[in-house]
Amino acid sequence: MKTQFSSPRRFAVSTASALLAGALALGGLVPAGAAQPHPVAQQAASAQPSALLSAPGALQVPAANRVVQIKTTSNLNMRSGSSTKHRFILTIPKNKTVTVKSQASNGWYQVTYNKKTGWISNEYAKVTKTSGTGKTPKRAKSVKLWVTPESTMNIRKGAGTGHSVVGKISKGQPAYATSKAANGWYKISTQGKTGWISGAYVTTCSKGCAIDAGPYTTNRAGLTDRYFAKTSGADLFASVKGKKRIGDIPKNSIAYRDKAWEKKAGPVSGWYYMRTQGADGWMKASALKRSTNAKTSNTAKTTRATVLKQANGKLPSSMLVALHWDKEKTLIAAPAAADLGRLNAAFKKKFGKNLDIDLAYRTLDTQKLLYQELGHYIAAKPGTSNHGWGLAIDVPETFNYSFKGKYYKWLKANSKKYNWIHRKYLEEFRANGSRNPYAEAWHFEYAGN
């Protein structure tokens, strides 16, 4: 059963295939001495009209841009046709430069070596000369840009569709570009993949950009430049003056300025790159202050029942208090604060330190963002989480707070004494001994009044 009290955790952004010019079916390398052909990937995309080369099945490329010379990057088998299904002729050693007679529609090159003519895979060959230039292609120039695909795209090993696919990037997923080839392709790094994507289908940005700052860990993420939201309803944007990510950040919410990512995203006067609410993005400097004036006790005598009558994720500021002993001054529903303080006192007596609170109250916009980015297996359906009433906390995902950690084991055994519980359906294993896919060691809920 899926828990509806999930928290934001690490995730990877999915990616998809690119728009390509030319119908491609990539060939493969057969390493010298191998008994069987090396398996290769195949992919098709829409072709564009242009003059055909002379060879049968030749790639449709304008004559002025045709590859005329390559250098092998591995010991490469020559075959009688443009695929691994054809008869082996000989092996061309690594780092040999040969002349290209023509190129097949799947990217393979027809070459001559040692008085033999045949076909080799383009996947293991570096282009050193194209027709019409009489010299090697221009080297890529260095850039510092963020590129965002307008459609899903393939990430390729080199700057062109003749190179193998090493990964994918989805529509709207920002990636950092460090080089731009003469043909307009960008070298990017994203989600642990490095390669090239076509510049024809991306938008570029150098200041106030939407970026990929990596997976969520905690608000702090090792940061110390601390701020708080000045008023209720503060905004977090994907880019400066761009799409809003969260539009209901509560007054006195903790936020950390991430200067390293701000520099890489392109600084803009009057804007800061912040981590808050389990998310990251741009905030106006005018929306932030250096200190909090949030209440630290339930002076209004608000009850749990009263809190639960409010719309989830829309608690009024009067029902939220800051944890005075927590350096983050985390906001939580007022009736839950006293018992959490008692639990913390016992925890501190045992371990000599305060509880580490990662997240507590979660607004509706924050729930929507996390649900969109993490999916329903990890994030709760917006409007259903106990975080939306400020009646739940998340501790960090460190070893000591994990199922095997000393902090978790103590909390599991003792938190109920202080009206805080860890639900059975969040435990590591199910009753039948199987691993629980919805397990959460970090999530505790308030069960008091």
Side-chain angles (χ1 to χ4, degrees):
M1 179 177 70
K2 183 184 86 66
T3 173
Q4 61 176 343
F5 307 118
S6 301
S7 308
R9 295 295 123 186
R10 299 175 179 81
F11 64 98
V13 179
S14 63
T15 52
S17 59
L19 299 175
L20 303 174
L24 302 179
L26 297 181
L29 166 72
V30 181
Q36 299 294 330
H38 184 79
V40 293
Q42 294 185 341
Q43 180 174 351
S46 59
Q48 296 180 352
S50 60
L52 285 171
L53 299 178
S54 58
L59 182 66
Q60 300 179 18
V61 177
N65 297 324
R66 187 172 66 84
V67 174
V68 296
Q69 188 181 82
I70 57 93
K71 185 176 184 179
T72 58
T73 59
S74 178
N75 292 340
L76 192 53
N77 286 347
M78 177 192 292
R79 294 186 174 274
S80 60
S82 56
S83 77
T84 57
K85 295 179 181 179
H86 293 275
R87 176 177 54 85
F88 167 79
I89 299 175
L90 55 78
T91 298
I92 303 176
K94 181 180 179 180
N95 293 326
K96 287 293 181 179
T97 299
V98 293
T99 299
V100 175
K101 297 170 67 68
S102 62
Q103 189 174 6
S105 60
N106 66 357
W108 279 47
Y109 298 121
Q110 187 183 42
V111 301
T112 298
Y113 179 75
N114 277 357
K115 299 181 180 181
K116 299 288 185 180
T117 297
W119 296 82
I120 60 172
S121 169
N122 62 314
E123 189 172 346
Y124 304 93
K126 178 181 179 181
V127 176
T128 56
K129 187 184 294 186
T130 58
S131 59
T133 63
K135 52 188 176 183
T136 57
K138 293 181 180 179
R139 295 185 64 180
K141 64 178 181 181
S142 296
V143 296
K144 293 181 179 180
L145 292 171
W146 286 90
V147 296
T148 303
E150 297 172 347
S151 61
T152 53
M153 304 182 72
N154 282 336
I155 304 171
R156 294 186 174 272
K157 190 175 183 179
T161 56
H163 296 275
S164 60
V165 176
V166 297
K168 297 179 184 297
I169 181 170
S170 63
K171 176 182 178 181
Q173 172 62 33
Y176 192 61
T178 55
S179 299
K180 184 179 182 181
N183 63 357
W185 282 55
Y186 290 100
K187 186 177 184 180
I188 64 164
S189 294
T190 182
Q191 304 298 317
K193 299 289 185 181
T194 298
W196 295 80
I197 61 174
S198 172
Y201 310 106
V202 301
T203 57
T204 62
C205 177
S206 59
K207 288 186 177 181
C209 304
I211 69 173
D212 176 12
Y216 168 81
T217 52
T218 70
N219 278 340
R220 296 173 295 280
L223 304 172
T224 58
D225 196 6
R226 185 171 65 177
Y227 290 82
F228 296 89
K230 188 179 292 185
T231 59
S232 290
D235 299 324
L236 182 76
F237 296 88
S239 61
V240 170
K241 298 181 181 178
K243 182 180 178 181
K244 189 182 294 184
R245 304 194 79 197
I246 301 173
D248 58 2
I249 297 174
K251 181 181 179 180
N252 293 311
S253 292
I254 187 75
Y256 281 91
R257 186 179 180 185
D258 195 328
K259 291 183 178 179
W261 279 109
E262 184 176 311
K263 181 179 180 181
K264 195 168 184 179
V268 176
S269 178
W271 290 79
Y272 295 155
Y273 199 83
M274 308 298 296
R275 289 185 181 269
T276 184
Q277 311 301 300
D280 57 270
W282 293 90
M283 293 184 72
K284 292 180 180 178
S286 60
L288 299 163
K289 58 182 181 177
R290 282 296 192 179
S291 60
T292 176
N293 60 353
K295 295 184 298 182
T296 56
S297 61
N298 188 12
T299 55
K301 307 299 181 184
T302 304
T303 64
R304 184 173 185 270
T306 301
V307 168
L308 288 173
K309 290 179 181 178
Q310 309 304 309
N312 186 287
K314 292 183 176 292
L315 290 188
S317 295
S318 61
M319 293 188 182
L320 294 170
V321 300
L323 301 173
H324 68 88
W325 45 267
D326 173 39
K327 64 179 180 180
E328 305 296 316
K329 300 298 183 285
T330 302
L331 296 177
I332 194 170
D339 281 341
L340 187 57
R342 294 194 304 121
L343 174 62
N344 178 69
F347 181 90
K348 188 174 183 179
K349 183 176 180 180
K350 174 68 175 179
F351 298 106
K353 67 184 294 296
N354 287 321
L355 271 168
D356 298 291
I357 308 298
D358 190 4
L359 294 168
Y361 175 59
R362 191 172 302 156
T363 67
L364 186 61
D365 270 11
T366 302
Q367 294 178 55
K368 290 177 179 178
L369 174 66
L370 297 174
Y371 189 76
Q372 176 184 339
E373 294 195 342
L374 306 183
H376 66 280
Y377 287 109
I378 298 177
K381 182 179 179 181
T384 65
S385 172
N386 266 11
H387 284 290
W389 287 292
L391 299 172
I393 61 169
D394 288 344
V395 293
E397 272 192 83
T398 58
F399 178 78
N400 281 333
Y401 285 107
S402 72
F403 288 110
K404 295 180 175 59
K406 60 182 180 180
Y407 297 162
Y408 167 79
K409 291 177 180 178
W410 185 91
L411 288 169
K412 182 71 175 179
N414 294 278
S415 63
K416 189 179 294 186
K417 301 174 186 176
Y418 307 96
N419 295 318
W420 282 87
I421 59 174
H422 182 266
R423 299 285 185 182
K424 188 174 181 62
Y425 55 75
L426 298 179
E427 291 178 355
E428 187 174 14
F429 297 99
R430 289 171 166 166
N432 63 4
S434 64
R435 188 171 293 277
N436 179 11
Y438 305 110
E440 294 184 2
W442 58 82
H443 184 85
F444 288 80
E445 296 172 15
Y446 184 57
N449 296 316

